[in-house]
Amino acid sequence: MTMTKWALITGGAKRIGKAIAIRLHQSGYNIALHYNSAQRDAQTLAAQLNQQRTGSCRLFQANLASEQEIKTLVEAVNCELTLSVLINNASVFHPDPEIANWQDSQHLLTTNLIAPYLLAQRLAPNLASQSGCIINLVDIHGDRPLKGHGLYSISKAGLNMATRALAQELSPAVRVNGISPGAILWPSGSETDTVTKVINEIPMKRAGTPEDIAYTVDFILNSPYLNGQIIAIDGGRSATGYTGADG
């Protein structure tokens, strides 16, 4: 009898996380769908997936900026599921002027860096039983900073290193890789001139789609000797050079 494969996707209710959830579900995985505040979106997606395959999606709510809620999420998943995959997708994106105080800075750093690292460490024994895989969603600005988003860029640079460190610490029982998206989805309120400038820097001359990231997740999961690598999905932007500091 084939054991059901479960994939935990943080921030899985919308945008890139949703595309990953749909793709992995199509590939036969059951989905442990984490969300923070997007309850309605999470419930809608879960209903859609469960209609296709009964009992194939379960919801887990947690604020990943909270130490206690990270602990509670880990305990719930370890108690209820045998994991094959962890996708650390949840992230917050704020420009520096919107980070007004220490609490705001800790919220960003914890959500983008500390939470993925702790989830990987604490779920590793569970994943190891399935020769599991962890995939961290990083950012090309973890290599070259985005102007006006210094702390965000720092958090992703840290996740970049965390991915490599975890690949060393958790192998051979668990593989750890990362995906660095380029221009996939524009932040709300993006100015047309900024969008045009970024597009002009991309050899493919267009933005990518959430599905491009989901395809890469599928590729990593089906590449059993791929470990400790971070794949840029950016239309060639980082390979040919980009201004970085100008976004």
Side-chain angles (χ1 to χ4, degrees):
M1 181 177 179
T2 303
M3 180 175 288
T4 300
K5 292 185 176 181
W6 282 91
L8 171 61
I9 305 171
T10 67
K14 299 190 293 185
R15 297 167 63 89
I16 289 174
K18 178 180 178 180
I20 294 171
I22 291 171
R23 177 74 178 184
L24 292 188
H25 191 264
Q26 291 171 344
S27 297
Y29 286 88
N30 283 1
I31 305 300
L33 192 68
H34 160 267
Y35 68 96
N36 179 21
S37 58
Q39 181 178 19
R40 181 173 297 181
D41 293 299
Q43 290 173 336
T44 299
L45 179 56
Q48 173 188 331
L49 299 180
N50 283 324
Q51 186 174 27
Q52 295 171 17
R53 197 164 67 242
T54 302
S56 61
C57 183
R58 297 179 61 176
L59 295 179
F60 294 85
Q61 191 279 331
N63 176 3
L64 297 183
S66 163
E67 179 183 8
Q68 182 56 50
E69 293 194 34
I70 292 171
K71 180 180 179 182
T72 300
L73 173 62
V74 168
E75 290 174 348
V77 171
N78 280 334
C79 178
E80 299 174 26
L81 303 175
T82 300
L83 278 186
S84 297
V85 178
L86 166 62
I87 310 290
N88 279 313
N89 167 73
S91 181
V92 293
F93 180 82
H94 297 304
D96 287 347
E98 291 183 8
I99 302 171
N101 52 44
W102 177 267
Q103 184 176 2
D104 291 343
S105 66
Q106 290 302 300
H107 181 275
L108 186 148
L109 289 171
T110 301
T111 303
N112 290 5
L113 173 57
I114 304 302
Y117 191 78
L118 292 179
L119 288 174
Q121 284 189 319
R122 296 175 183 179
L123 293 172
N126 190 335
L127 289 158
S129 69
Q130 298 294 301
S131 299
C133 184
I134 297 169
I135 301 175
N136 294 326
L137 271 290
V138 193
D139 194 300
I140 60 170
H141 293 297
D143 291 315
R144 299 178 70 177
L146 177 62
K147 186 176 182 180
H149 295 74
L151 197 61
Y152 171 81
S153 300
I154 290 166
S155 73
K156 292 299 185 175
L159 187 57
N160 197 325
M161 180 55 71
T163 301
R164 294 184 170 94
L166 287 164
Q168 177 173 269
E169 299 296 335
L170 302 183
S171 293
V174 178
R175 296 186 298 121
V176 185
N177 293 284
I179 299 173
S180 280
I184 303 296
L185 294 170
W186 304 105
S188 58
S190 296
E191 296 181 2
T192 302
D193 289 347
T194 300
V195 171
T196 300
K197 182 176 181 181
V198 171
I199 292 295
N200 286 338
E201 291 180 341
I202 301 171
M204 296 289 289
K205 299 303 179 188
R206 62 176 177 84
T209 68
E211 287 70 29
D212 290 319
I213 306 302
Y215 296 150
T216 308
V217 168
D218 222 1
F219 164 74
I220 292 172
L221 295 181
N222 287 286
S223 302
Y225 200 54
L226 184 66
N227 191 37
Q229 303 303 307
I230 298 173
I231 304 173
I233 304 299
D234 63 359
R237 188 179 177 204
S238 59
T240 57
Y242 62 101
T243 58
D246 292 326

Coordinates of all heavy atoms in Angstrom, one line a residue, residues 61-101:
Q61 N -3.6 27.2 10.7 CA -3.4 28.6 10.9 C -2.3 28.9 11.9 O -2.2 28.3 13.0 CB -4.7 29.2 11.4 CG -4.8 30.7 11.3 CD -4.1 31.4 12.5 OE1 -4.0 30.9 13.6 NE2 -3.6 32.6 12.3
A62 N -1.5 29.9 11.6 CA -0.4 30.3 12.5 C 0.2 31.6 12.0 O 0.3 31.9 10.8 CB 0.7 29.3 12.6
N63 N 0.5 32.5 13.0 CA 1.2 33.7 12.7 C 2.7 33.4 12.9 O 3.2 33.1 14.0 CB 0.8 34.8 13.7 CG 1.6 36.1 13.6 OD1 2.5 36.2 12.7 ND2 1.4 37.1 14.4
L64 N 3.4 33.4 11.8 CA 4.8 32.9 11.8 C 5.8 34.0 12.4 O 7.0 33.7 12.4 CB 5.3 32.5 10.4 CG 4.5 31.3 9.8 CD1 5.1 30.9 8.4 CD2 4.5 30.1 10.7
A65 N 5.2 35.1 12.8 CA 6.1 36.1 13.5 C 6.0 35.8 15.0 O 6.7 36.5 15.8 CB 5.6 37.5 13.3
S66 N 5.2 34.8 15.4 CA 5.1 34.5 16.9 C 5.8 33.2 17.2 O 5.5 32.1 16.6 CB 3.6 34.3 17.2 OG 3.4 33.6 18.4
E67 N 6.7 33.2 18.2 CA 7.4 32.0 18.6 C 6.4 30.9 19.1 O 6.6 29.8 18.7 CB 8.3 32.4 19.8 CG 9.1 31.2 20.3 CD 10.0 31.6 21.5 OE1 9.9 32.7 22.0 OE2 10.8 30.7 21.9
Q68 N 5.4 31.3 19.8 CA 4.5 30.3 20.3 C 3.6 29.7 19.2 O 3.4 28.5 19.2 CB 3.5 30.9 21.4 CG 2.5 30.0 22.0 CD 3.2 28.8 22.6 OE1 4.1 28.9 23.4 NE2 2.8 27.6 22.3
E69 N 3.2 30.5 18.2 CA 2.4 29.9 17.2 C 3.2 29.1 16.2 O 2.7 28.1 15.6 CB 1.7 31.1 16.4 CG 0.7 31.8 17.3 CD -0.3 32.6 16.6 OE1 -0.7 32.3 15.4 OE2 -0.7 33.7 17.1
I70 N 4.5 29.4 16.1 CA 5.4 28.5 15.3 C 5.5 27.1 16.0 O 5.3 26.1 15.4 CB 6.8 29.1 15.2 CG1 6.8 30.3 14.2 CG2 7.8 28.0 14.6 CD1 8.1 31.1 14.2
K71 N 5.6 27.2 17.3 CA 5.7 25.9 18.1 C 4.4 25.1 18.0 O 4.5 23.9 17.9 CB 6.0 26.3 19.6 CG 6.1 25.1 20.5 CD 6.4 25.5 22.0 CE 6.5 24.3 22.9 NZ 6.7 24.7 24.3
T72 N 3.3 25.8 18.1 CA 2.0 25.2 18.0 C 1.8 24.5 16.7 O 1.3 23.4 16.5 CB 0.9 26.2 18.3 OG1 1.1 26.7 19.6 CG2 -0.5 25.5 18.2
L73 N 2.2 25.2 15.6 CA 2.1 24.7 14.2 C 2.9 23.4 14.1 O 2.5 22.4 13.6 CB 2.5 25.7 13.2 CG 2.6 25.3 11.8 CD1 1.3 24.8 11.2 CD2 3.2 26.4 10.9
V74 N 4.2 23.5 14.6 CA 5.0 22.3 14.5 C 4.4 21.1 15.2 O 4.4 20.0 14.7 CB 6.4 22.6 15.1 CG1 7.3 21.4 15.2 CG2 7.2 23.6 14.1
E75 N 3.9 21.4 16.4 CA 3.4 20.3 17.2 C 2.1 19.7 16.5 O 2.0 18.4 16.5 CB 3.0 20.8 18.6 CG 4.2 21.1 19.5 CD 3.8 21.8 20.8 OE1 2.6 22.2 20.9 OE2 4.6 21.9 21.7
A76 N 1.3 20.5 16.0 CA 0.1 20.0 15.3 C 0.5 19.2 14.1 O -0.1 18.1 13.9 CB -0.8 21.2 14.8
V77 N 1.4 19.7 13.3 CA 1.8 18.9 12.1 C 2.5 17.6 12.4 O 2.2 16.5 11.9 CB 2.7 19.8 11.2 CG1 3.3 18.9 10.0 CG2 2.0 21.0 10.6
N78 N 3.4 17.6 13.4 CA 4.1 16.4 13.8 C 3.2 15.4 14.4 O 3.4 14.2 14.3 CB 5.2 16.8 14.8 CG 6.5 17.3 14.1 OD1 6.7 17.0 13.0 ND2 7.2 18.1 14.9
C79 N 2.1 15.9 15.1 CA 1.2 15.0 15.7 C 0.2 14.3 14.7 O -0.1 13.2 14.8 CB 0.4 15.7 16.8 SG -0.9 14.7 17.6
E80 N -0.2 15.1 13.7 CA -1.2 14.7 12.8 C -0.8 14.1 11.4 O -1.6 13.4 10.8 CB -2.2 15.9 12.5 CG -2.8 16.4 13.8 CD -3.6 17.7 13.5 OE1 -4.1 17.9 12.4 OE2 -3.8 18.5 14.5
L81 N 0.4 14.5 11.0 CA 0.8 14.1 9.6 C 2.2 13.5 9.6 O 3.1 13.9 10.4 CB 0.8 15.4 8.7 CG -0.5 16.1 8.6 CD1 -0.3 17.4 7.7 CD2 -1.6 15.3 8.0
T82 N 2.5 12.7 8.6 CA 3.8 12.3 8.2 C 4.2 13.1 6.9 O 3.5 12.9 5.9 CB 3.9 10.8 7.9 OG1 3.5 10.1 9.1 CG2 5.3 10.4 7.5
L83 N 5.2 14.0 7.1 CA 5.5 14.9 6.0 C 6.5 14.3 5.0 O 7.5 13.7 5.4 CB 6.0 16.2 6.5 CG 5.1 17.3 7.1 CD1 5.9 18.5 7.4 CD2 4.0 17.7 6.1
S84 N 6.3 14.7 3.7 CA 7.3 14.4 2.7 C 8.0 15.7 2.2 O 9.1 15.6 1.8 CB 6.7 13.7 1.5 OG 6.1 12.4 1.9
V85 N 7.3 16.8 2.3 CA 7.7 18.1 1.8 C 7.4 19.2 2.7 O 6.3 19.3 3.2 CB 7.1 18.3 0.4 CG1 7.6 19.6 -0.2 CG2 7.5 17.2 -0.6
L86 N 8.3 20.2 2.8 CA 8.0 21.4 3.5 C 8.4 22.5 2.5 O 9.6 22.6 2.0 CB 8.9 21.6 4.7 CG 8.9 23.0 5.3 CD1 7.5 23.5 5.7 CD2 9.9 23.1 6.5
I87 N 7.4 23.4 2.1 CA 7.7 24.5 1.3 C 7.6 25.8 2.1 O 6.5 26.2 2.6 CB 6.7 24.6 0.1 CG1 6.6 23.3 -0.6 CG2 7.0 25.8 -0.8 CD1 7.8 22.9 -1.5
N88 N 8.7 26.4 2.4 CA 8.7 27.7 3.2 C 8.5 28.8 2.2 O 9.4 29.4 1.7 CB 10.0 27.9 3.9 CG 10.1 27.1 5.2 OD1 9.2 27.1 6.0 ND2 11.2 26.3 5.4
N89 N 7.2 29.2 2.0 CA 6.8 30.2 1.0 C 6.4 31.5 1.7 O 6.5 32.6 1.1 CB 5.7 29.6 0.2 CG 5.0 30.7 -0.6 OD1 5.5 31.2 -1.6 ND2 3.8 31.1 -0.2
A90 N 5.8 31.4 2.9 CA 5.3 32.6 3.6 C 6.3 33.7 3.7 O 7.5 33.4 4.1 CB 4.7 32.3 4.9
S91 N 6.0 34.9 3.4 CA 6.9 36.0 3.5 C 6.1 37.4 3.6 O 5.0 37.5 3.2 CB 7.7 36.1 2.2 OG 8.7 37.1 2.2
V92 N 6.8 38.4 4.2 CA 6.2 39.7 4.2 C 7.2 40.6 3.4 O 8.4 40.4 3.5 CB 6.0 40.2 5.6 CG1 4.9 39.4 6.3 CG2 7.2 40.2 6.5
F93 N 6.6 41.6 2.8 CA 7.4 42.5 1.9 C 7.0 43.9 2.2 O 5.9 44.4 1.9 CB 7.1 42.2 0.4 CG 7.8 43.1 -0.6 CD1 9.1 42.8 -0.9 CD2 7.2 44.1 -1.1 CE1 9.8 43.5 -1.9 CE2 7.8 44.9 -2.1 CZ 9.1 44.6 -2.4
H94 N 7.9 44.6 2.9 CA 7.7 46.0 3.3 C 8.9 46.9 3.0 O 10.0 46.5 3.2 CB 7.4 46.2 4.8 CG 6.1 45.5 5.3 ND1 4.9 45.7 4.7 CD2 6.0 44.5 6.2 CE1 4.0 44.9 5.3 NE2 4.6 44.2 6.2
P95 N 8.7 48.1 2.4 CA 9.8 49.0 2.2 C 10.3 49.5 3.6 O 9.5 49.5 4.5 CB 9.2 50.1 1.4 CG 7.7 50.1 1.6 CD 7.4 48.6 1.9
D96 N 11.5 49.9 3.6 CA 12.1 50.4 4.9 C 11.3 51.5 5.6 O 11.1 51.5 6.8 CB 13.5 50.8 4.7 CG 14.5 49.6 4.5 OD1 14.0 48.5 4.7 OD2 15.6 49.8 4.1
P97 N 10.8 52.5 4.8 CA 10.0 53.5 5.5 C 8.8 53.1 6.3 O 8.3 53.8 7.2 CB 9.6 54.5 4.4 CG 10.7 54.3 3.3 CD 11.0 52.8 3.4
E98 N 8.3 51.9 5.9 CA 7.1 51.4 6.6 C 7.4 50.6 7.8 O 6.6 50.1 8.6 CB 6.3 50.5 5.6 CG 5.6 51.2 4.5 CD 4.7 50.3 3.6 OE1 4.6 49.1 4.0 OE2 4.3 50.8 2.6
I99 N 8.8 50.3 8.0 CA 9.2 49.6 9.2 C 9.6 50.6 10.3 O 10.7 51.2 10.3 CB 10.4 48.7 8.9 CG1 10.0 47.7 7.8 CG2 10.9 48.0 10.1 CD1 11.2 47.0 7.2
A100 N 8.6 50.9 11.1 CA 8.7 52.1 12.0 C 9.4 51.9 13.3 O 9.9 52.8 13.9 CB 7.3 52.6 12.3
N101 N 9.5 50.6 13.7 CA 10.0 50.4 15.1 C 10.6 49.0 15.1 O 10.6 48.2 14.2 CB 9.0 50.6 16.1 CG 7.7 49.8 15.8 OD1 7.8 48.6 15.4 ND2 6.5 50.4 16.0

